[in-house]
């Protein structure tokens, strides 16, 4: 990935392990809060400084404006600020949100950090317009969080996220693959996704019972306006809601009947006998455009909430 300017700010302690957190420090910080990591908020803290530097190097965000979701005790945050990134850290846990600036200030006095205590699924504003997402995403909400941030903050042009391996493979899956599904098609609206490497379970505390991967994102060309996106996502939801059925049947609920779905599919140049997994994003967009004169279903928004069921089934 190309970097946009910026040597690390002086005084951030770049290259010194002391500027990052080690396993004993992380446990000590948790102890000061009487904190036990919870599954509810997907809290698995990164305790390996070398892994943090590897993530930051791949992300290539030196000097850029970054949003980090779920910074926890600050392991990755310190890796980002160490290379001069300006970080908006979105933390849902009020105890961690209060502790983080003190930890970063002690380790890197010149770090550029602003902590926002909020749920990343509903956040609508940040202290600055972010250019990148770098995060160890909570397993249970990773796909909905990514969709929300990419929709809400169009200045984001890249991302590197650590997610559960199964979720990561879905994010990067091409059409026709065994793991391709609704999340794969939806996140492709904003650009290209690719696997960037595996992550050992042993770098986390507590050690999770699932494997993790790094997934990278680069923004692509504009696909259309928000109305087209929502209509496209509605088609995607219909196609994968009954993924074993042919499209003419799977989309009958979206368009009112199998006959109506067949008509729309034929106008879009898509064979009604195909299944959703055979279609790429461009195909779904053509279907949505062909159905532009169809009555909209006010109950189906096709956005973050619709991504959650399939995403949660992966965990």
């Amino acid at each position: 990935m190309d970097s946009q300017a910026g040597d690390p700010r002086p005084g951030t302690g770049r290259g010194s392990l002391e500027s990052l957190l080690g396993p004993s420090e992380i446990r000590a910080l948790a102890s000061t809060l009487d904190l036990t990591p919870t599954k509810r908020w997907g809290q698995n803290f990164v305790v390996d400084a070398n892994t943090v530097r590897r993530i930051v190097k791949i992300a290539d965000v030196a000097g850029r404006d970054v949003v980090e979701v779920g910074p926890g005790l600050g392991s990755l945050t310190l890796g980002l600020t160490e290379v001069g990134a300006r970080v908006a850290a979105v933390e849902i846990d009020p105890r961690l949100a209060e502790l983080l600036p003190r930890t970063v200030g002690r380790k890197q006095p010149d770090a550029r950090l602003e902590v926002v205590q909020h749920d990343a699924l509903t956040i609508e504003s940040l202290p600055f317009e972010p250019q990148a997402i770098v995060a160890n995403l909570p397993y249970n909400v990773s796909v909905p969080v990514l969709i929300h941030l990419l929709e809400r903050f169009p200045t984001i042009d890249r991302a590197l996220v650590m997610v559960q391996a199964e979720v990561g493979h879905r994010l990067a899956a091409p059409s026709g693959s065994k793991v391709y599904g609704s999340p794969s098609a939806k996140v492709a609206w904003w650009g290209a996704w690719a696997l960037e490497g595996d992550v050992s379970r042993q770098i986390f505390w507590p050690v999770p019972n699932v494997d993790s991967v790094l997934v990278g994102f680069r923004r692509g060309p504009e696909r259309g306006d928000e109305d087209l996106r929502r209509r496209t996502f509605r088609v995607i939801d219909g196609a994968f809601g009954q993924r074993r059925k042919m499209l003419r049947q799977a989309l009958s609920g979206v368009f009112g009947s199998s006959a109506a779905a067949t008509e729309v599919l034929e106008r879009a140049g898509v064979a009604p006998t195909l299944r959703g997994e055979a279609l790429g994003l461009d195909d779904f967009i053509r279907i949505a455009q062909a159905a532009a004169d169809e009555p909209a279903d006010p109950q189906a928004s096709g956005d973050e909430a619709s991504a959650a069921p399939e995403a949660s089934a992966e965990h």
Side-chain angles (χ1 to χ4, degrees), residues 128-192:
F128 49 81
E129 293 296 320
Q131 299 167 300
I133 304 168
V134 184
N136 169 25
L137 287 176
Y139 293 154
N140 54 335
V141 293
S142 51
V143 173
V145 162
L146 285 170
I147 288 177
H148 176 69
L149 292 178
L150 289 170
E151 176 194 356
R152 179 62 190 84
F153 301 102
T155 52
I156 293 171
D157 62 13
R158 68 180 64 186
L160 185 72
V161 294
M162 185 157 47
V163 295
Q164 180 180 340
E166 187 175 352
V167 176
H169 284 283
R170 283 206 164 199
L171 289 171
S175 59
S177 72
K178 292 175 65 175
V179 296
Y180 179 75
S182 172
S184 322
K186 286 183 177 180
V187 298
W189 177 271
W190 290 281

Side-chain angles (χ1 to χ4, degrees), residues 68-257:
E68 181 190 6
V69 176
L73 293 165
S75 301
L76 181 55
T77 311
L78 285 162
L80 293 167
T81 55
E82 182 184 64
V83 298
R86 179 169 62 159
V87 178
V90 182
E91 175 57 61
I92 193 172
D93 189 325
R95 299 169 300 170
L96 293 172
E98 182 179 359
L99 178 63
L100 182 61
R102 300 203 303 267
T103 301
V104 173
R106 174 172 55 84
K107 301 287 281 187
Q108 298 176 17
D110 295 330
R112 297 186 294 169
L113 170 69
E114 298 196 51
V115 179
V116 182
Q117 200 257 299
H118 207 285
D119 185 348
L121 280 169
T122 59
I123 196 163
E124 292 296 325
S125 64
L126 290 168
F128 49 81
E129 293 296 320
Q131 299 167 300
I133 304 168
V134 184
N136 169 25
L137 287 176
Y139 293 154
N140 54 335
V141 293
S142 51
V143 173
V145 162
L146 285 170
I147 288 177
H148 176 69
L149 292 178
L150 289 170
E151 176 194 356
R152 179 62 190 84
F153 301 102
T155 52
I156 293 171
D157 62 13
R158 68 180 64 186
L160 185 72
V161 294
M162 185 157 47
V163 295
Q164 180 180 340
E166 187 175 352
V167 176
H169 284 283
R170 283 206 164 199
L171 289 171
S175 59
S177 72
K178 292 175 65 175
V179 296
Y180 179 75
S182 172
S184 322
K186 286 183 177 180
V187 298
W189 177 271
W190 290 281
W193 299 77
L195 295 173
E196 298 286 354
D198 299 325
V199 180
S200 168
R201 300 183 187 190
Q202 304 306 314
I203 63 102
F204 294 102
W205 173 69
V207 177
N209 58 3
V210 294
D211 293 318
S212 298
V213 294
L214 296 172
V215 185
F217 160 79
R218 292 299 297 268
R219 185 173 287 274
E222 197 73 33
R223 294 289 192 168
D225 61 17
E226 182 63 9
D227 178 65
L228 178 60
R229 182 189 75 83
R230 290 181 177 272
R231 287 189 284 115
T232 300
F233 279 23
R234 185 180 171 220
V235 173
I236 292 170
D237 285 333
F240 288 103
Q242 303 180 75
R243 63 181 298 150
R244 293 184 180 277
K245 292 187 176 182
M246 295 179 184
L247 286 169
R248 65 188 179 197
Q249 297 167 300
L251 294 177
S252 61
V254 176
F255 298 122
S257 68

